[in-house]
Amino acid sequence: MAFLPPSNDNNNNNKSLDEFGDIVKGALGILGVVAFFASPLGGIFFAIVNSFFALAILTPLVAVVAFQGWTYFNTIDGPCPNCGSPVKVLKDDSPSVCLNCGTMVRSSADNSSIDFAGGGNNDIFSNNSGGVGDLFGGIFDQAAGVQRNPMSPNEERAAERRQQTIIDIEVDKD
């Protein structure tokens, strides 16, 4: 009210009544808010808002603790049998992938170590256990400290024959 322009009314009684009315309106508004929160309806409102607040805080904390417990009891940490980088696998004997070399691994029968998953070629990306690094031509191997096992002469000859084989197919339309 101090920042409003002066009124054109010269009657001081009306001016003081208007100011008193404004004060009463503000006081009744504050009293109404206090009465609402003091009533059972206000208590219910506070209970609902506080419950949502507690859920928003506690749910992530409980989820993180539960997941940490689950991983402690259901997974095994160990080195990859192919490249030696750390890998985590489930204890239920389901295969997993080494994120460094792409080799399929699983837990051992006694759940004490990590073994290759199955026999033969365990690599999911290439034929010579190159893994994900072969997608980039091995340019990251030196920086990561990965040493690859060279192919034997028989494997090199077989790979060269596969690369030179030409397959010619003729298709006849009916």
Side-chain angles (χ1 to χ4, degrees), residues 30 102 137:
I30 292 172

Side-chain angles (χ1 to χ4, degrees), residues 27-166:
L28 286 176
I30 292 172
L31 185 64
V33 169
V34 169
F36 171 75
F37 287 118
S39 71
L41 188 60
I44 292 171
F45 175 78
F46 265 143
I48 291 171
V49 169
N50 287 341
S51 296
F52 284 130
F53 181 71
L55 282 175
I57 298 295
L58 293 178
T59 301
L61 295 176
V62 170
V64 166
V65 169
F67 182 71
Q68 292 295 323
W70 181 87
T71 55
Y72 178 78
F73 290 112
N74 293 310
T75 61
I76 299 171
D77 292 330
C80 172
N82 187 38
C83 68
S85 68
V87 69
K88 186 176 284 204
V89 298
L90 292 173
K91 287 183 181 179
D92 68 354
D93 204 33
S94 61
S96 183
V97 177
C98 173
L99 297 177
N100 187 45
C101 67
T103 302
M104 298 296 288
V105 293
R106 67 172 45 159
S107 63
S108 63
D110 61 351
N111 289 332
S112 65
S113 64
I114 296 173
D115 296 332
F116 287 112
N121 184 12
N122 289 304
D123 193 351
I124 62 171
F125 293 113
S126 71
N127 289 332
N128 65 2
S129 295
V132 178
D134 279 351
L135 293 175
F136 303 104
I139 59 174
F140 299 115
D141 290 349
Q142 186 177 13
V146 176
Q147 296 177 349
R148 304 219 181 254
N149 297 330
M151 289 192 294
S152 68
N154 290 337
E155 290 174 333
E156 287 179 9
R157 281 192 296 272
E160 188 176 329
R161 271 183 275 157
R162 280 193 309 270
Q163 292 172 357
Q164 293 177 355
T165 304
I166 298 173

